[in-house]
């Protein structure tokens, strides 16, 4: 477990799962964004020492190797900018060593991959970028910000808002709800909580207990990411500790439905049940999930309810599935529309012979 004076710590199961979500998402984000932009930016606000106690890669090494090892990297012609921020001097020194080792192992280092290490707090580093953008009167290039703190301090939502104001910027943040739950209403860290939420509404949690209290604090942060930071789409993923409690949520914020699609795909790989949660308690148990086991009846019912009496283009159904349900886009055709058509519960107008090609219109009875 990491602490304020720890340099290296054990890689816990929930952290490994978090890194798998990150790796899975970046594996899709890098080629998509590099196709349409000359420059993209990966910003790690709490980078750590680069490696864990037993040598496992930390988030900076994961981000770099995901790009370098990508099957299509040689065809990605844009500039990739990486900034890794770590305020602790000893951890920062370790991070420098690990990045140097990677560069030496991958020599000659690609000229379009640029790495900057910053020995500062996240808030200070982000504020420097914001100040420079304002001075130049420019927007930030397409950015994926990975913000993974140990607690609730140093994470003002107004800084996130100003840093990621450009339409093509995205956030992946560790929201330590267990700490928030413990201190909300206690009064001793109110200044940090007000910065975190950008409001004092967290104090309303004092009147709640148990699951309703935690759900309120989850929903409040989601609401603030949408209203303050103006993220059109927000998706959370719960991390459950060995005691069976939710220690933190990973929140992803984006303004692009394609980004949401990629992130949901990555999260489903960690939790194929579609509950968007990972539990340390299940690690080591033999639990097998198969796509054929997806229960899409709730998706079928949601579609029939939402679109009753309407003729709906397939694209609209895809967008609804991605943004309004827990399901992935790939579940729509196979697990929802195909069974509904087989049962004569819908009618389908196709422009060709394939099952549900672009241009398909699905007719739902009233």
């Amino acid at each position: 477990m990491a602490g304020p004076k720890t340099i290296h710590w054990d890689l816990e199961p929930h952290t490994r799962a978090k890194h798998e979500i990150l790796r899975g998402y970046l594996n899709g984000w890098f080629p998509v964004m590099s196709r349409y932009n000359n420059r993209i930016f990966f910003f790690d606000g709490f980078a750590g020492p680069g490696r864990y106690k037993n040598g496992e890669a930390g988030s900076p090494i994961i981000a770099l190797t995901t790009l370098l090892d990508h099957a299509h990297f040689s065809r990605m012609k844009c500039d990739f900018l990486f900034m890794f921020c770590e305020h602790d001097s000893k951890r920062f020194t370790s991070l420098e060593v690990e990045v140097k080792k990677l560069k030496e192992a991958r020599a000659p280092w690609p000229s379009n991959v640029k790495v900057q290490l910053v020995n500062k707090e996240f808030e200070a580093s982000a504020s420097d970028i914001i100040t420079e953008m304002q001075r130049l009167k420019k927007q930030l290039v397409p950015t994926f910000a990975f913000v993974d703190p140990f607690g609730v301090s140093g994470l003002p939502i107004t800084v996130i808002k100003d840093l990621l104001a450009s339409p093509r910027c995205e956030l992946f943040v560790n929201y330590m709800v267990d700490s928030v739950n413990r201190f909300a209403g206690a009064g001793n860290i109110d200044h940090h909580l007000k910065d975190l939420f950008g409001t004092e509404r967290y104090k309303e949690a004092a009147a709640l207990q148990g699951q309703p209290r935690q759900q309120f604090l989850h929903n409040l942060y989601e609401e603030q990411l949408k209203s303050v930071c103006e993220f059109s789409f927000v998706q959370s993923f719960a991390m459950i500790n060995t005691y069976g409690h939710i220690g933190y949520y990973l929140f992803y914020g984006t303004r692009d439905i394609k980004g949401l699609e990629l992130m949901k795909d990555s999260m489903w790989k960690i939790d194929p049940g579609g509950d968007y949660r990972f539990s340390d308690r299940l690690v080591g148990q033999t639990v097998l999930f198969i796509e054929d086991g997806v229960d899409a009846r709730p998706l079928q019912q949601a579609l029939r309810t939402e679109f009753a009496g309407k003729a709906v283009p397939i694209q609209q159904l895809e967008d609804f599935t991605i943004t309004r349900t827990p399901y992935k886009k790939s579940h729509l055709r196979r697990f929802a529309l195909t069974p509904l058509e087989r049962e004569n519960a819908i009618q389908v107008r196709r422009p060709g012979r394939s099952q549900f090609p672009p241009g398909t219109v699905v007719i739902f009875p009233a």
Side-chain angles (χ1 to χ4, degrees):
M1 185 78 176
K5 300 299 181 183
T6 308
I7 299 177
H8 297 92
W9 51 92
D10 290 327
L11 178 63
E12 298 181 0
H14 58 83
T15 304
R16 189 186 298 274
K18 173 174 58 184
H19 287 166
E20 286 304 311
I21 294 173
L22 175 65
R23 183 183 285 108
Y25 182 78
L26 291 179
N27 200 52
W29 186 76
F30 283 134
V32 169
M33 299 306 292
S34 63
R35 191 178 306 144
Y36 303 107
N37 300 281
N38 295 324
R39 180 178 296 177
I40 61 177
F41 181 32
F42 178 87
F43 179 74
D44 192 333
F46 295 82
R51 294 276 176 188
Y52 286 84
K53 193 173 181 179
N54 294 317
E56 303 95 340
S59 55
I61 306 301
I62 288 171
L64 289 169
T65 54
T66 299
L67 174 64
L68 298 174
D69 294 337
H70 200 286
H72 302 300
F73 174 60
S74 62
R75 298 200 288 270
M76 299 181 201
K77 301 304 180 183
C78 81
D79 286 334
F80 297 90
L81 311 180
F82 292 83
M83 179 181 285
F84 304 125
C85 304
E86 175 51 51
H87 78 282
D88 181 86
S89 58
K90 292 183 178 179
R91 290 176 187 161
F92 182 76
T93 299
S94 174
L95 178 60
E96 286 183 310
V97 170
E98 295 301 334
V99 171
K100 182 180 178 182
K101 285 180 182 178
L102 180 63
K103 285 187 170 184
E104 290 173 348
R106 300 301 183 98
W109 188 257
S111 59
N112 64 329
V113 180
K114 300 170 173 59
V115 181
Q116 182 179 1
L117 306 180
V118 182
N119 189 196
K120 285 185 178 181
E121 298 271 8
F122 161 74
E123 185 176 354
S125 302
S127 296
D128 288 346
I129 296 172
I130 295 166
T131 300
E132 185 66 6
M133 286 193 301
Q134 292 172 343
R135 185 184 72 82
L136 297 173
K137 297 181 180 180
K138 290 187 176 181
Q139 287 187 323
L140 197 60
V141 299
T143 298
F144 184 85
F146 179 52
V147 186
D148 190 15
F150 290 122
V152 298
S153 63
L155 198 63
I157 199 167
T158 52
V159 171
I160 293 175
K161 169 185 177 293
D162 292 340
L163 176 68
L164 304 177
S166 173
R168 295 171 295 172
C169 292
E170 301 178 339
L171 173 70
F172 193 39
V173 61
N174 178 348
Y175 168 55
M176 304 292 287
V177 71
D178 197 36
S179 298
V180 175
N181 192 27
R182 191 160 55 248
F183 292 108
N188 50 345
I189 63 165
D190 279 3
H191 58 298
H192 291 314
L193 295 178
K194 186 176 180 181
D195 284 347
L196 180 71
F197 288 104
T199 179
E200 293 189 344
R201 284 190 55 209
Y202 65 88
K203 293 181 178 179
E204 297 173 24
L208 303 172
Q209 290 183 341
Q211 199 276 335
R213 174 182 170 97
Q214 191 173 69
Q215 190 64 47
F216 168 79
L217 293 170
H218 167 280
N219 293 349
L220 177 60
Y221 196 63
E222 179 178 338
E223 290 169 14
Q224 293 302 95
L225 289 176
K226 289 180 177 179
S227 62
V228 177
C229 300
E230 298 182 341
F231 288 119
S232 304
F233 310 109
V234 175
Q235 178 66 55
S236 66
F237 191 97
M239 289 295 185
I240 301 171
N241 59 30
T242 53
Y243 303 104
H245 303 131
I246 297 175
Y248 62 90
Y249 287 99
L250 297 171
F251 271 97
Y252 168 72
T254 185
R255 302 171 182 92
D256 186 349
I257 193 171
K258 179 62 178 178
L260 179 62
E261 180 186 344
L262 285 173
M263 182 56 78
K264 289 180 74 172
D265 285 350
S266 186
M267 289 178 170
W268 262 83
K269 290 177 183 177
I270 301 301
D271 177 22
D275 291 326
Y276 293 92
R277 57 177 53 211
F278 174 86
S279 175
D280 285 355
R281 302 172 102 181
L282 295 179
V283 172
Q285 297 184 29
T286 304
V287 182
L288 299 178
F289 297 95
I290 55 175
E291 283 287 281
D292 288 341
V294 173
D295 181 2
R297 287 172 297 180
L299 174 58
Q300 295 172 13
Q301 185 58 49
L303 293 168
R304 297 173 75 171
T305 301
E306 179 71 18
F307 301 110
K310 298 178 181 178
V312 189
I314 191 71
Q315 179 66 51
Q316 187 176 346
L317 298 179
E318 291 175 347
D319 291 351
F320 175 82
T321 302
I322 295 167
T323 63
R324 300 275 299 279
T325 80
Y327 293 88
K328 299 192 299 178
K329 186 175 81 171
S330 61
H331 293 148
L332 172 66
R333 288 167 169 81
R334 181 180 179 188
F335 297 112
L337 297 182
T338 296
L340 287 174
E341 185 180 22
R342 190 183 302 128
E343 297 165 8
N344 295 318
I346 58 173
Q347 293 181 339
V348 182
R349 294 203 301 258
R350 296 179 172 86
R353 293 186 176 182
S354 58
Q355 199 169 20
F356 298 98
T360 295
V361 174
V362 180
I363 303 165
F364 292 85

